[in-house]
Amino acid sequence: MVLSNREGAGGLVSAREMGLPAFVVPSAGQTRVAHDAEMVARLRQHRVDLVCLAGYMRIITAEFVQAFPDRILNVHPSLLPAFPGLDAQRQALEYGAHVAGCTVHFVDEAVDHGVIVVQRTVPVEDGDTAETLSTRILEQEHLAYPEAIGRVLSGHYAIIGRRYVRCLE
């Protein structure tokens, strides 16, 4: 199923084209706690086991995170812990990084902080702009996110401290 706080979100359109349940839960005019409670209720109603955030530019509440412990994934356009938050590509360029990339991580109560599942690198090229770097990172996000989802759904892993460790069985 797909949930969004914005009507017309690309994920809603794609889900509907595939015949999947797709719902809008508007956030405007609601407190963050009330909105997230409604999102959690919808997810539970549909027996969702893994929540995958994509283009969801809202910080979720601790209650949301606690409803799905180690079962919420997010993709971020930097090699975390470097450059969390907004405008990660611009941050990397301004810092003078030679390598950028993306990170798929479990969501915890802090922003762009959870246990890392997959990272992919992208060289920063001379003449890169935030837009050109973003384009190359997005290509890697489209590879890394399905890989991370598959790893988590396999169940063949353990979280030891802050490390995601793959297990054979």
Side-chain angles (χ1 to χ4, degrees):
M1 74 166 301
V2 174
L3 285 177
S4 178
N5 64 320
R6 294 183 306 108
E7 186 63 59
L12 293 171
V13 173
S14 296
R16 289 173 180 149
E17 288 173 355
M18 292 186 281
L20 298 173
F23 306 97
V24 176
V25 178
S27 54
Q30 288 195 57
T31 66
R32 187 175 307 280
V33 170
H35 179 261
D36 282 6
E38 188 172 347
M39 296 286 280
V40 168
R42 289 280 182 123
L43 292 166
R44 285 184 171 153
Q45 175 187 4
H46 288 270
R47 297 187 173 133
V48 168
D49 184 47
L50 181 64
V51 177
C52 301
L53 304 177
Y56 194 69
M57 301 301 290
R58 293 176 51 88
I59 297 171
I60 61 176
T61 60
E63 292 82 7
F64 193 139
V65 173
Q66 291 161 9
F68 298 94
D70 296 326
R71 301 306 290 174
I72 304 173
L73 288 176
N74 186 40
V75 61
H76 182 73
S78 80
L79 297 172
L80 292 173
F83 315 121
L86 298 175
D87 300 318
Q89 301 89 339
R90 181 190 50 74
Q91 290 181 60
L93 290 170
E94 288 176 357
Y95 195 82
H98 293 272
V99 178
C102 63
T103 302
V104 182
H105 63 95
F106 286 109
V107 174
D108 63 14
E109 285 84 2
V111 175
D112 296 329
H113 175 266
V115 170
I116 294 168
V117 179
V118 172
Q119 289 184 307
R120 289 189 176 259
T121 61
V122 171
V124 177
E125 298 174 357
D126 293 340
D128 257 337
T129 64
E131 292 76 24
T132 59
L133 184 56
S134 295
T135 298
R136 289 199 318 285
I137 291 172
L138 183 61
E139 291 171 0
Q140 293 305 308
E141 288 180 28
H142 289 167
L143 299 172
Y145 215 173
E147 177 184 343
I149 291 167
R151 286 183 181 190
V152 171
L153 291 177
S154 79
H156 297 150
Y157 69 93
I159 296 174
I160 302 171
R162 286 204 37 85
R163 293 188 56 96
Y164 168 94
V165 179
R166 291 175 77 176
C167 305
L168 295 178
E169 297 257 348

